[in-house]
Amino acid sequence: MKVLKFGGTSVGSIASIQTLLNILGDEFKNQEKPVIVLSAMGGVTNLLASMAENAAEGKEFTAALADLEKRHFDVVKSLLDVQNQNPAFTRLKIHFNQLEELLQGVLTLRELTPKTRDQILSFGERCSTIMVSKIAAQHFKDVLFVDAVEVIKTDSAFGNAKVNTELSEMLIRNLYEANKDKMLIVTGFIAGNDAGQTTTLGRGGSDYTAAIFGSALNAKEIQIWTDVNGMMTADPRMVKKAFSLTELTYTEAMELSYFGAKVIYPPTMIPAFLKKIPIVIKNTFEPEFEGTVIRHDCKASSLPIKGISSINNISILNLEGSGMVGKSGFSGRLFSLLAREQINVILITQSSSEHSITFAVQPQDTERAKQVIEQEFELELLAKKLEHLVIEKNLAILAIVGENMKQTPGMSGKLFHSLGRNGVNVRAIAQGSSEYNISVIISANDLSKALNAVHDAFFVQLTKTLHAFCLGTGNIGKTLFNQLNAHSQYLKDNNGIQVKIAGISNTRKMTFNSDGVSLDTWQDDLQASPYEADLQGFISKMKEMNLPNCVFIDNTASPVPIGFYEQVFKANISVITCNKIGNSGSYQQYRTFKDTARTHGVDFFYETNVGAGLPIINTLKNLMNSGDRVQRIEAILSGTISFIFNNFKGDANFHDVVKEAQEKGYTEPDPRDDLSGKDFMRKMLILARDAGYAMEEADVEIESVLPQASLEAKSVDDFYATLKTEDAHFAKLKDLAEKDGKVLRYIGKLENGKVTINLQMVDENHPFYMLSGSDNIISFITDRYKERPLVVKGPGAGAEVTAAGVFADLINLGVAP
């Protein structure tokens, strides 16, 4: 036989009770009659507690009582045939009258004792069970209502009574043997003492009732029907990628339950654990879901952990002082005191020096714990052998649980790396010698971010989610969004990465969405956003959203965002930028960005600073990381200048080639911005710094392509006019090169810690001789690539390749551990 327990949501409405009846009909058509344990209707226990407290404070309760009565009566009217309604109404009315009398007594006396509170709370289960048993009798033969007060016997610790297991099991077996042919529908949560007075079984009491019945009757299994798909890898309200577990051991389930997984409670499992009875967690609203099975003989699992559990709000108390060191019995004295005061200690950790003990309690117990500790240790405090108790509030516990942790190295490292990379500070750590559980105490504000980051780290079969905040919606920004949208499925399937654009800003508007701005409608969403553009506001909102695996992407060419990079790094957020102004500013600024990112354990990627989509920065980094030494770097890193000199040949004149480059969109509106070599200089400066040289802009020797008159021209038209007058100068250079079988190239060079940029003539033996179009090219001459240089060549400008470079940086960030 089986024992089925249905929770509050399963009996909370007309529709859910109909579903419950369908489950009973489908599951037990040809099987032995089940035992059904019921909770109160959803929300009723809290309502009863509130009514009792209001009555004790002299407040009115009749309106709430009338609503409670109507809620039950409406179910009876909907689900019972008219001729069967009166017996149900009569039984329910008797209970509501008794409840009213009790509440009136509390109101009169202004006193609510634990005994009276238990009696009041018991009406939730009594009424729901009477109601459902009457309805079930219409569908099944021989249904018997059972008041658990008569068969589950406890002591008189009202509110959390201790069960007399031996006596209770005997009474349950006697009841069952006398009614084997009947379907027993039992009140959960409540029990009775030797005097027949009502007691309650505490948190998770209805589950406990089911386990007691299952143990007494040696049930085949105990089913807990709730409103979620079994035990999940994490709280699905905070971790959207959480998934249901097929099975757990009793130990794993108890660890997860203790640390906040509210699907089932630890005491529930003890009777089942002792008898090795499987517990199945099922979903009333998805009956086809097979459920999570908790059993003693689980199959081997490939998962490193089974789940991540959490307690949302706790306080920690830290007691320290020299008077604790080497003093036997101190911990026993402390925790015996807390036990006497009924203060539950959730977690304990002690330093190996015995100088301090830290423990966690529920927030409502904090002040009482402080008071009794200060009273108990008054002499030690006065003698300065103990420091005054330090209390921290608004904290949370995160725990990873799984029996595989015991034989898998690196569990702690993976946990703390994922927390540290996301800026989650750990206040305390606890790990038992069994290694089934590692628990950390963190800020409650960081709990959601921490859960998602740790879930991504341990369940690698799922996609890792990056939350990107993008600045700039020009050509590069738009193209990046198009590329992400087109390749999102490929990223998931081949890289295990999902990129959510959590924020977008341009110079006019900004918009945010923690679930990701749609890349199909982002322009409309941005336009419709109520938020005016504000860069500090954008950064502040990004930090406030506190999402895991965050990255700030700067797709602008503006100097303004550069001033916020350090602030972003300090918030433990990575930066990807195609804006080269930051890294080509002062060396001190460049060093600060690098050091701050490293200190806070985040990434700073800027591949597009030098070669757009070309892997130049990454190539240099890999050469140096592998121990190679750069002897010389030569490069052409301006697509504009590359185009001009690749086409300045034959009968062409310099003026016409520059004009053509502008018409094709290769130059800035004023071509001097390119031909001055300023942008080229910035790229060479970044390369030199990445190669290990502490250089400033003034250290770069740059030879301008243009005569001084062209540089000083008052307008673009005047600039072109001066080019015409200098035609003979440029023609002479071209003819001289062609005469010697060479071509003109504007080349940057890094050698012996010195950077020069000048116009050179190169022959066919030079790797830059065959350059064409607007391609960029870079040549690395190193200790390993001495005879034949390592050459990287390709398009070095344009929205498509630059956006692709940002995209590549995102992938590198996503695959980082």
Side-chain angles (χ1 to χ4, degrees):
M1 54 84 64
K2 297 181 182 179
V3 175
L4 281 73
K5 176 262 176 176
F6 289 90
T9 52
S10 301
V11 293
S13 67
I14 294 165
S16 63
I17 292 171
Q18 287 175 320
T19 304
L20 182 157
L21 295 171
N22 292 335
I23 290 168
L24 294 182
D26 291 342
E27 186 122 1
F28 298 103
K29 281 176 183 174
N30 301 307
Q31 295 185 35
E32 190 172 349
K33 292 286 179 67
V35 173
I36 312 301
V37 177
L38 300 182
S39 296
M41 296 182 78
V44 166
T45 302
N46 288 339
L47 180 60
L48 288 167
S50 175
M51 289 162 63
E53 287 157 11
N54 285 342
E57 294 171 7
K59 297 177 183 176
E60 186 56 58
F61 61 81
T62 52
L65 182 60
D67 287 343
L68 188 63
E69 183 175 309
K70 181 178 183 300
R71 186 174 173 189
H72 287 79
F73 281 12
D74 285 347
V75 173
V76 171
K77 290 174 186 175
S78 296
L79 296 180
L80 269 177
D81 295 338
V82 174
Q83 65 270 23
N84 296 327
Q85 289 178 7
N86 276 339
F89 285 143
T90 301
R91 291 286 300 275
L92 288 171
K93 192 61 180 173
I94 290 169
H95 281 314
F96 286 123
N97 288 341
Q98 292 171 341
L99 175 58
E100 185 175 17
E101 288 173 7
L102 277 169
L103 289 168
Q104 191 60 52
V106 172
L107 181 65
T108 302
L109 296 172
R110 300 290 197 275
E111 181 183 33
L112 179 63
T113 65
K115 176 181 172 181
T116 304
R117 191 175 191 276
D118 272 8
Q119 184 69 21
I120 290 170
L121 295 183
S122 74
F123 285 99
E125 273 69 21
R126 284 187 165 120
C127 291
S128 69
T129 307
I130 286 169
M131 179 178 71
V132 173
S133 64
K134 294 292 185 185
I135 296 166
Q138 282 192 162
H139 300 269
F140 308 102
K141 291 181 180 179
D142 301 318
V143 172
L144 178 66
F145 164 80
V146 178
D147 189 341
V149 171
E150 299 172 6
V151 290
I152 298 181
K153 293 302 176 181
T154 70
D155 61 13
S156 296
F158 297 101
N160 194 15
K162 184 179 180 182
V163 174
N164 181 334
T165 304
E166 189 176 341
L167 176 58
S168 299
E169 289 198 352
M170 183 190 73
L171 292 172
I172 289 169
R173 283 195 292 268
N174 290 342
L175 170 73
Y176 184 75
E177 288 299 323
N179 298 279
K180 261 191 169 180
D181 58 337
K182 295 182 175 66
M183 179 187 287
L184 306 184
I185 300 188
V186 185
T187 55
F189 179 58
I190 63 175
N193 61 14
D194 291 339
Q197 296 167 325
T198 300
T199 59
T200 59
L201 301 178
R203 185 171 177 243
S206 293
D207 291 351
Y208 196 14
T209 303
I212 293 167
F213 266 81
S215 175
L217 301 174
N218 291 310
K220 177 185 175 183
E221 69 181 32
I222 298 165
Q223 296 183 357
I224 307 293
W225 289 83
T226 180
D227 57 356
V228 294
N229 279 343
M231 297 280 277
M232 303 187 78
T233 50
D235 186 341
R237 293 169 299 180
M238 286 192 271
V239 181
K240 293 186 178 177
K241 287 188 279 188
F243 59 91
S244 301
L245 293 162
T246 305
E247 61 179 10
L248 295 163
T249 65
Y250 290 114
T251 304
E252 289 169 334
M254 279 198 261
E255 291 280 0
L256 285 170
S257 300
Y258 181 75
F259 284 98
K262 295 180 175 60
V263 175
I264 197 168
Y265 298 94
T268 302
M269 286 175 277
I270 294 171
F273 178 82
L274 294 173
K275 294 281 185 74
K276 296 184 177 178
I277 301 170
I279 300 172
V280 186
I281 315 295
K282 305 202 76 172
N283 189 344
T284 303
F285 306 99
E286 289 187 33
E288 65 280 1
F289 171 66
E290 292 186 1
T292 300
V293 182
I294 302 168
R295 62 176 63 158
H296 76 285
D297 56 347
C298 281
K299 297 188 293 289
S301 171
S302 60
L303 297 173
I305 65 172
K306 281 292 179 70
I308 308 161
S309 198
S310 56
I311 299 176
N312 295 1
N313 191 12
I314 57 111
S315 298
I316 60 172
L317 294 85
N318 187 59
L319 192 61
E320 63 179 56
S322 59
M324 298 166 58
V325 179
K327 188 163 184 180
S328 59
F330 184 89
S331 299
R333 185 179 163 196
L334 171 63
F335 294 114
S336 295
L337 165 69
L338 297 171
R340 285 198 307 271
E341 295 294 326
Q342 298 289 305
I343 296 170
N344 182 38
V345 176
I346 302 168
L347 177 148
I348 305 166
T349 181
Q350 182 173 16
S351 65
S352 57
S353 67
E354 300 183 18
H355 188 261
S356 68
I357 294 177
T358 300
F359 58 95
V361 299
Q362 295 289 350
Q364 62 268 24
D365 292 333
T366 307
E367 291 305 319
R368 191 155 56 91
K370 178 177 183 290
Q371 184 180 10
V372 298
I373 290 170
E374 288 178 345
Q375 288 172 353
E376 176 72 18
F377 297 99
E378 183 178 6
L379 294 177
E380 288 88 342
L381 288 165
L382 288 172
K384 304 292 185 184
K385 291 184 177 180
L386 288 179
E387 302 295 328
H388 283 285
L389 199 65
V390 176
I391 296 173
E392 287 188 71
K393 299 181 179 180
N394 300 317
L395 300 173
I397 294 177
L398 180 151
I400 59 171
V401 172
E403 291 192 357
N404 274 2
M405 289 166 58
K406 189 169 185 176
Q407 59 218 32
T408 308
M411 292 291 99
S412 299
K414 188 175 286 190
L415 170 65
F416 295 120
H417 178 79
S418 63
L419 294 173
R421 187 174 175 83
N422 283 280
V424 178
N425 185 36
V426 175
R427 310 293 181 88
I429 305 162
Q431 180 177 14
S433 58
S434 66
E435 296 185 44
Y436 292 156
N437 175 320
I438 303 174
S439 305
V440 295
I441 296 177
I442 61 176
S443 168
N445 294 332
D446 286 333
L447 181 59
S448 177
K449 175 168 73 170
L451 282 169
N452 281 278
V454 173
H455 198 272
D456 270 1
F458 280 97
F459 297 105
V460 294
Q461 71 274 30
L462 302 176
T463 55
K464 179 179 180 179
T465 301
L466 299 179
H467 292 95
F469 291 81
C470 298
L471 196 63
T473 59
N475 287 337
I476 296 170
K478 286 178 184 175
T479 306
L480 175 64
F481 293 156
N482 290 338
Q483 290 176 356
L484 283 170
N485 203 16
H487 294 88
S488 60
Q489 193 60 48
Y490 181 88
L491 272 182
K492 287 182 184 179
D493 295 343
N494 294 276
N495 298 92
I497 300 169
Q498 179 184 23
V499 179
K500 290 185 177 180
I501 305 300
I504 301 173
S505 180
N506 56 23
T507 55
R508 300 173 299 282
K509 293 271 193 173
M510 57 186 186
T511 188
F512 305 93
N513 189 334
S514 58
D515 291 327
V517 177
S518 168
L519 292 180
D520 292 318
T521 62
W522 69 267
Q523 287 174 295
D524 294 335
D525 294 340
L526 185 62
Q527 185 62 35
S529 172
Y531 299 110
E532 297 295 323
D534 170 19
L535 190 47
Q536 180 58 69
F538 187 73
I539 304 293
S540 298
K541 181 66 174 178
M542 176 175 66
K543 293 193 287 185
E544 179 191 320
M545 289 170 74
N546 207 21
L547 296 170
N549 304 319
C550 253
V551 54
F552 176 74
I553 302 177
D554 181 6
N555 286 323
T556 75
S558 167
V560 179
I562 308 302
F564 293 89
Y565 284 9
E566 189 176 354
Q567 183 185 150
V568 173
F569 289 133
K570 287 180 177 178
N572 292 90
I573 296 171
S574 296
V575 173
I576 293 174
T577 181
C578 59
N579 187 342
K580 65 181 73 69
I581 295 174
N583 281 329
S584 61
S586 70
Y587 180 77
Q588 181 58 48
Q589 177 175 270
Y590 165 87
R591 195 68 259 161
T592 297
F593 291 163
K594 290 275 193 174
D595 293 343
T596 309
R598 186 174 61 253
T599 299
H600 290 270
V602 292
D603 290 310
F604 182 32
F605 290 157
Y606 48 89
E607 183 65 76
T608 52
N609 275 196
V610 173
L614 296 180
I616 293 173
I617 296 291
N618 206 40
T619 299
L620 176 58
K621 177 182 174 183
N622 290 339
L623 288 170
M624 298 189 66
N625 286 345
S626 66
D628 203 354
R629 188 177 66 87
V630 173
Q631 296 181 2
R632 185 169 77 251
I633 294 175
E634 288 186 312
I636 295 175
L637 297 174
S638 167
T640 303
I641 296 176
S642 178
F643 176 86
I644 289 170
F645 284 106
N646 287 339
N647 287 275
F648 184 44
K649 56 189 177 182
D651 295 334
N653 67 69
F654 196 72
H655 169 278
D656 292 345
V657 173
V658 173
K659 194 74 172 174
E660 182 186 359
Q662 185 180 27
E663 289 168 356
K664 287 181 177 291
Y666 289 136
T667 75
E668 295 295 329
D670 187 337
R672 286 173 295 182
D673 293 341
D674 299 291
L675 290 166
S676 67
K678 178 84 171 178
D679 188 64
F680 195 169
M681 179 276 297
R682 286 175 173 161
K683 294 176 181 180
M684 289 301 299
L685 183 60
I686 293 168
L687 276 175
R689 289 172 173 176
D690 276 9
Y693 297 103
M695 298 186 69
E696 300 289 355
E697 180 178 327
D699 297 327
V700 179
E701 295 180 15
I702 183 168
E703 174 188 290
S704 175
V705 173
L706 299 173
Q708 195 64 28
S710 298
L711 289 171
E712 294 175 355
K714 292 182 179 179
S715 67
V716 174
D717 289 340
D718 289 345
F719 158 72
Y720 276 116
T722 62
L723 282 189
K724 278 189 177 293
T725 63
E726 297 289 344
D727 189 57
H729 165 73
F730 288 109
K732 182 179 178 182
L733 290 174
K734 181 186 66 174
D735 293 343
L736 187 61
E738 289 177 349
K739 179 182 176 183
D740 293 336
K742 298 179 179 180
V743 291
L744 293 171
R745 297 288 183 256
Y746 193 53
I747 298 173
K749 182 170 74 172
L750 167 65
E751 190 171 22
N752 299 323
K754 182 179 179 182
V755 176
T756 57
I757 303 173
N758 52 34
L759 191 62
Q760 298 181 29
M761 299 179 188
V762 300
D763 61 23
E764 59 186 8
N765 296 315
H766 197 283
F768 296 177
Y769 181 81
M770 295 300 293
L771 198 64
S772 62
S774 59
D775 281 356
N776 283 359
I777 189 168
I778 185 166
S779 166
F780 295 97
I781 295 92
T782 71
D783 288 351
R784 292 181 192 146
Y785 294 92
K786 191 181 301 181
E787 302 301 325
R788 298 181 66 189
L790 171 62
V791 176
V792 179
K793 173 185 173 184
E800 284 289 341
V801 292
T802 305
V806 175
F807 198 151
D809 278 346
L810 260 176
I811 293 171
N812 288 332
L813 187 72
V815 298

